[in-house]
Amino acid sequence: MQFSQGEQSRHLPSLVEGNVGELAQQGEGSNSHPTTGNSSLMANGRDDTDGLALKMDPSIPPNAWEYNEILDVFGFGKVQWLLLINSGLLTITSMAAQLAVGIIGISSQCEFNMSQGEKGVMMAACVAGLVISTYLCGYLCDIWGRRAVLMWAMFIANFLQFVSMFVTNIWVFNLLNFLIGISLGGVSASIYCYLGEFICNKYRAVAINYSTMFVSVTAIYVPAISWLVLSGEWSWEISSSFVFRPWRLIILLSLLPGFIAALMLLVFPESPIFLLAQGKHKEAVEALDWVAKVNTGLHLETLLKTPHITLKPEELSDAALLTTGSGCSILSNIWKATVPLFHKPHGKNVILAVTVMMGMLFSSNGMQIWFPEIVNRSAGGAGDATICTVLDASYARDRIMATNNTMTKDVICDDTISTKTYVDNIVVGLAFLVGFSIQGALLNPLGRKNVLLASLAVGAVCGLLLHVVTDTTGILILFCLYILLPGLSMSIMCGALVDLVPTQLKGKTMSMGLTLGRVGLIASSNLIAAMLEPYCNGIFAIITLVIIGCAGLVYFLPI
């Protein structure tokens, strides 16, 4: 399906976080300081000198408004700010569900009596649910609506998170985390689509950029609340078989931002352009009227100086075909829409790009999930030893303790978390915030391919140096860069990937890339769980080789 220029400027893919890349394209070159738009309109609601004239079409009333024209009149007002805050809160809960398990895994290991393998499953469970659901949810929000999918996905995830606070069995806890991931797939699929469809092209890229920076905020929020909660020695005995310990409160504090955001969505309307694409013209006008009243205090007709508002019809992408099918036919349509991604002339570049994204998430996010465990074990270690030497000594102490427990029949388990663990994790979060700013300043003068290659090269060098550096501060800096640089490169790849395919394939391509990337994250999490104790240097070598491989593939991409 091909789109005219006007349709392309309106069209938004309804899939995963990867929409960031395409949305950023749509707002490229715009002013980066949102202000409330104010257009001088003629009596009929048009001013051709301001570029608001419509091309005449016999099938469309002459005074019909383009959807984007009305967004231009709204500018960036109260509704847009509230939606930006809303998307940030949703992002915090969505990311916290994935990151908090790194700390929860340590503080709950004694209560659940977890092995290293079971800890790896815990850390990968939520991401596995996201892998399964995100791609499908991207299509479902074209059927049920962006707001509906977003709101109910978060409410369901919050309910499951609340239930998980009271679970005492590790496998039930992991199952709930898996179901939480499935629910959060709806958030991933809808969040940027819903936000972007209320914002004009001029400010859309800026809004999406600020929204994605909440990922870095989450990397600070999770260790900060964990430090606050776990620093106190308290517990609440609810029954003889269940004691509410501090780590369970981390789950509550993680779900609260998303719950507040979901409550906010109760008063927001469905995306007007979605309603218009569904043929619900009256509801679309009512939604726009709501935005007009909140932003300016005026009804839409008064604001546009038009007595009867008529909107030009809109259509969704080919995902809208799903509304005609059900069950297996929906899956068949999804498959048919996916196959063109791997055909000429785009197939080679798509395969290379999604492989790079898988490698980046494998190396960055996989190690980031295990970062609290690694730092906690290295705290108090010898100051003149490499990271793996310190970890090997920590595991050796655990084995000696386990042997002594067996001999004395006295079970001793240590689930304490050092202050250094929280501080170092907050440092990584702050590094991501600073890194996003520096990266943005370098992209235009150096070009994204050069920035990508340089970032991955430095990341690989840091991985190699971790095998030999013994200074504590040096190890922290290297570790931050080891996680940071491949992670920052993901945002560049999101923008590059959408340039490799035509408009109608961009959303699906990004969805595919991030879905496979999460598969890499799951593989990395479980591989680290299996290899960190017996083959510490080996797992660091594997991740470093993956980063080098990503750099090699990026070299051949036409970006």
Side-chain angles (χ1 to χ4, degrees):
M1 180 183 293
Q2 298 294 325
F3 295 94
S4 66
Q5 185 176 354
E7 287 173 314
Q8 287 181 3
S9 68
R10 178 272 312 165
H11 178 66
L12 288 169
S14 53
L15 301 170
V16 303
E17 297 97 318
N19 294 345
V20 174
E22 181 170 0
L23 292 168
Q25 277 189 315
Q26 294 172 334
E28 193 170 340
S30 63
N31 188 340
S32 62
H33 301 285
T35 55
T36 303
N38 222 344
S39 300
S40 175
L41 304 174
M42 302 291 286
N44 63 350
R46 300 290 189 275
D47 184 348
D48 291 349
T49 61
D50 288 339
L52 295 180
L54 289 173
K55 293 181 179 180
M56 300 305 295
D57 186 324
S59 63
I60 300 173
N63 65 338
W65 285 82
E66 288 273 10
Y67 181 73
N68 273 335
E69 289 181 317
I70 297 179
L71 292 185
D72 288 336
V73 175
F74 289 156
F76 206 96
K78 297 175 185 176
V79 169
Q80 286 73 27
W81 280 111
L82 287 171
L83 282 172
L84 178 57
I85 294 170
N86 182 270
S87 68
L89 294 173
L90 290 168
T91 299
I92 289 174
T93 288
S94 182
M95 290 303 302
Q98 302 168 58
L99 296 179
V101 289
I103 291 176
I104 291 174
I106 302 172
S107 54
S108 67
Q109 60 187 359
C110 295
E111 185 170 345
F112 284 139
N113 192 26
M114 278 189 289
S115 65
Q116 191 79 345
E118 288 171 334
K119 196 179 292 184
V121 173
M122 173 190 280
M123 294 183 181
C126 183
V127 181
L130 279 162
V131 168
I132 290 175
S133 66
T134 298
Y135 197 65
L136 176 61
C137 286
Y139 286 88
L140 293 180
C141 74
D142 272 346
I143 301 173
W144 297 339
R146 288 84 162 94
R147 171 183 169 274
V149 171
L150 198 57
M151 182 176 64
W152 286 111
M154 183 51 69
F155 275 138
I156 293 171
N158 287 162
F159 172 76
L160 293 171
Q161 286 174 299
F162 185 78
V163 172
S164 71
M165 291 170 54
F166 304 97
V167 169
T168 58
N169 180 278
I170 178 60
W171 292 108
V172 176
F173 186 83
N174 289 342
L175 175 61
L176 285 172
N177 267 335
F178 175 72
L179 296 176
I180 289 166
I182 290 177
S183 300
L184 291 176
V187 177
S188 298
S190 310
I191 182 171
Y192 298 115
C193 189
Y194 186 68
L195 173 64
E197 289 178 352
F198 281 90
I199 300 173
C200 63
N201 291 340
K202 184 177 181 181
Y203 302 123
R204 188 173 294 139
V206 178
I208 296 297
N209 180 64
Y210 282 128
S211 180
T212 56
M213 287 183 70
F214 276 89
V215 174
S216 302
V217 173
T218 310
I220 300 169
Y221 176 77
V222 168
I225 61 170
S226 300
W227 193 359
L228 177 66
V229 169
L230 298 178
S231 59
E233 294 291 335
W234 59 272
S235 61
W236 179 22
E237 187 173 349
I238 296 177
S239 69
S240 58
S241 59
F242 177 71
V243 178
F244 190 97
R245 291 187 168 84
W247 67 265
R248 297 179 182 274
L249 190 58
I250 297 174
I251 301 175
L252 178 63
L253 294 177
S254 296
L255 71 84
L256 278 179
F259 182 69
I260 293 169
L263 291 177
M264 289 174 65
L265 288 172
L266 289 171
V267 300
F268 276 81
E270 179 56 81
S271 163
I273 199 171
F274 170 79
L275 295 171
L276 199 57
Q278 296 289 314
K280 299 177 180 179
H281 184 275
K282 180 182 177 183
E283 290 86 346
V285 172
E286 289 174 351
L288 289 170
D289 185 61
W290 182 87
V291 176
K293 285 189 290 185
V294 174
N295 271 10
T296 67
L298 302 174
H299 284 284
L300 187 62
E301 292 180 351
T302 305
L303 181 64
L304 301 182
K305 299 180 181 179
T306 305
H308 300 289
I309 304 298
T310 303
L311 301 174
K312 271 193 171 184
E314 299 281 351
E315 64 177 44
L316 292 175
S317 66
D318 51 6
L321 295 173
L322 294 178
T323 57
T324 62
S326 60
C328 292
S329 64
I330 290 179
L331 297 177
S332 175
N333 284 334
I334 293 175
W335 172 251
K336 290 176 183 176
T338 303
V339 168
L341 301 181
F342 303 101
H343 286 175
K344 291 183 179 180
H346 319 294
K348 176 184 174 182
N349 291 334
V350 168
I351 291 172
L352 287 176
V354 299
T355 303
V356 169
M357 294 176 77
M358 180 185 289
M360 287 175 175
L361 283 179
F362 177 94
S363 55
S364 176
N365 290 37
M367 187 58 74
Q368 186 177 6
I369 288 177
W370 278 91
F371 187 63
E373 168 83 3
I374 292 170
V375 174
N376 198 57
R377 284 190 171 276
S378 63
D384 57 348
T386 65
I387 184 67
C388 280
T389 302
V390 173
L391 289 175
D392 288 343
S394 173
Y395 285 117
R397 288 194 299 270
D398 285 354
R399 288 192 292 271
I400 292 172
M401 186 181 296
T403 302
N404 292 339
N405 289 345
T406 302
M407 295 175 62
T408 62
K409 296 182 180 179
D410 222 359
V411 178
I412 301 174
C413 179
D414 184 14
D415 59 4
T416 57
I417 301 178
S418 68
T419 300
K420 185 177 185 296
T421 302
Y422 303 120
V423 173
D424 287 1
N425 276 271
I426 291 173
V427 167
V428 170
L430 290 171
F432 266 100
L433 277 177
V434 175
F436 271 117
S437 302
I438 296 174
Q439 178 178 271
L442 294 176
L443 278 176
N444 283 336
L446 298 182
R448 61 188 175 194
K449 188 170 188 175
N450 291 329
V451 174
L452 271 174
L453 290 173
S455 296
L456 294 172
V458 174
V461 171
C462 291
L464 294 173
L465 290 176
L466 281 171
H467 291 277
V468 295
V469 172
T470 58
D471 178 71
T472 305
T473 304
I475 290 174
L476 174 60
I477 293 172
L478 290 173
F479 225 127
C480 281
L481 293 174
Y482 196 46
I483 295 172
L484 176 70
L485 294 173
L488 290 177
S489 298
M490 268 297 297
S491 64
I492 302 178
M493 277 304 301
C494 286
L497 183 57
V498 296
D499 281 345
L500 298 174
V501 294
T503 300
Q504 66 270 26
L505 296 179
K506 289 180 180 181
K508 289 184 284 293
T509 306
M510 190 60 63
S511 177
M512 177 65 69
L514 284 167
T515 298
L516 292 178
R518 286 175 177 141
V519 172
L521 197 164
I522 294 170
S524 175
S525 176
N526 285 282
L527 194 62
I528 293 172
M531 294 185 64
L532 192 60
E533 180 176 352
Y535 308 107
C536 177
N537 283 304
I539 187 60
F540 277 93
I542 289 173
I543 292 175
T544 302
L545 286 173
V546 169
I547 294 174
I548 294 171
C550 288
L553 295 179
V554 166
Y555 180 79
F556 292 102
L557 281 172
I559 57 176

